[in-house]
Amino acid sequence: MEQNDVISNLTEAVVTGNKDDATAYAEKALELGIDPYVAVIDGLAKGMEIMGVKYDNKEAYMPQLMMASNAMYGGMNILTPHLKKEDGEKSAVAIIGSVEGDVHDIGKNLVKTMLTANGFEAIDLGKDVEINDFTDAAIEHQADIISLSTLMTSTMDNMEATIKHIQDQGIRDKVKILIGGAPVTQAFADEVGADGTATDAMEAARLAKELLVDLSDNRWN
Ligand code: B12
């Protein structure tokens, strides 16, 4: 079986919500030496993208979406441990989560995967994360980056409130804050005082690495 077939089968497994296939083709990808990065982005994540469009066009509904995400995670569980980490000194720490009120976490998890693949230690607070929890975790783990996701316009306010809390607790100069998710624009990021945004997980990781450079004088100790 060729690399392209495995990749398209991964996509198909997500679209059809077939977790067994997603797992099997993820294993096949490893067996064939396919870059797990490519298998995640061009295979699994592509399937989720297709499902998002189908949902918008009313060609798919919530149950199919749940099955698709379930299949995606089946494949991710196999591939994630094989994503290459960059060697180096102590990893930079990223606190990551979907903001309070928002249970969407597929995009957030992709951002986590890409941060991990780029050498970050990603501390995942999960979804529907209370405003204070981001600050508490940042202090506890001496974080460099805080990554906030939201997919709903109704929870964008909680993104702003989370950033405000980070400011109020006096740690704003120690962390870089990235925000993202479909409704987030650069204008919104500027308005709420985030350090940046990006439209996909790969860009998110690239931006996080870029922002670390500015932070070098200002780490926790
Ligand atoms: C899958 C899905 C669900 C699943 C979520 C499963 C899960 N575990 O995440 C389920 C079925 C649970 C769900 C529930 C709901 N959903 Co929904 N859902 C979607 C759907 C179809 C796809 C989202 C998705 O996963 N996309 C794929 C991922 C890979 O993309 P992504 O999340 O955008 O992430 C990428 C980028 O945004 C970026 N990114 C993400 N995070 C970050 C962070 C940083 C820092 C950066 C830089 C970048 C970045 O990188 C990611 C990867 O490249 C969208 C519609 C759509 N087409 O997007 C609706 C959508 C988001 N849902 C919507 C709604 C309204 C709901 C519900 C309220 C529905 C209901 N009535 O119950 C509930 C929410 C409950 C709640 N309190 O949160 C609306 C939101 C409307 C709005 N604009 O406010 C949407 C847009 C559908 C619509 N057109 O109405 N949903």
Side-chain angles (χ1 to χ4, degrees), residues 93 95 125 132-146 166 171 175 220:
V93 175
I95 307 292
L125 305 183
N132 307 359
D133 287 355
F134 284 101
T135 312
D136 294 349
I139 294 169
E140 182 187 340
H141 298 282
Q142 304 200 330
D144 303 288
I145 301 281
I146 298 180
I166 293 163
I171 60 161
V175 291
W220 288 80

Side-chain angles (χ1 to χ4, degrees), residues 52 56 62 101 103-107 147 149 151-153 181 199-201:
D56 287 341
M62 290 296 171
V103 303
H104 295 90
D105 66 358
I106 295 168
S147 165
S149 296
L151 284 210
M152 298 189 298
T153 45
T199 50
D200 66 54

Side-chain angles (χ1 to χ4, degrees), residues 137-211:
I139 294 169
E140 182 187 340
H141 298 282
Q142 304 200 330
D144 303 288
I145 301 281
I146 298 180
S147 165
L148 308 175
S149 296
T150 198
L151 284 210
M152 298 189 298
T153 45
S154 55
T155 40
M156 289 170 84
D157 283 352
N158 287 342
M159 220 166 215
E160 185 170 9
T162 302
I163 295 174
K164 178 149 195 319
H165 190 264
I166 293 163
Q167 274 157 359
D168 291 348
Q169 297 303 306
I171 60 161
R172 183 65 185 90
D173 62 339
K174 300 206 182 294
V175 291
K176 293 288 178 185
I177 304 174
L178 280 180
I179 65 175
V184 173
T185 59
Q186 183 62 51
F188 179 74
D190 294 342
E191 187 190 317
V192 297
D195 294 301
T197 182
T199 50
D200 66 54
M202 225 132 37
E203 275 297 299
R206 196 192 52 72
L207 184 58
K209 281 173 88 169
E210 224 174 81
L211 288 170

Side-chain angles (χ1 to χ4, degrees), residues 3-33:
Q3 164 153 349
N4 287 347
D5 295 331
V6 175
I7 300 289
S8 58
N9 281 323
L10 281 169
T11 305
E12 185 65 19
V14 173
V15 171
T16 55
N18 189 329
K19 187 177 180 181
D20 289 345
D21 276 6
T23 311
Y25 286 114
E27 276 162 358
K28 187 84 192 161
L30 293 176
E31 213 178 286
L32 293 178

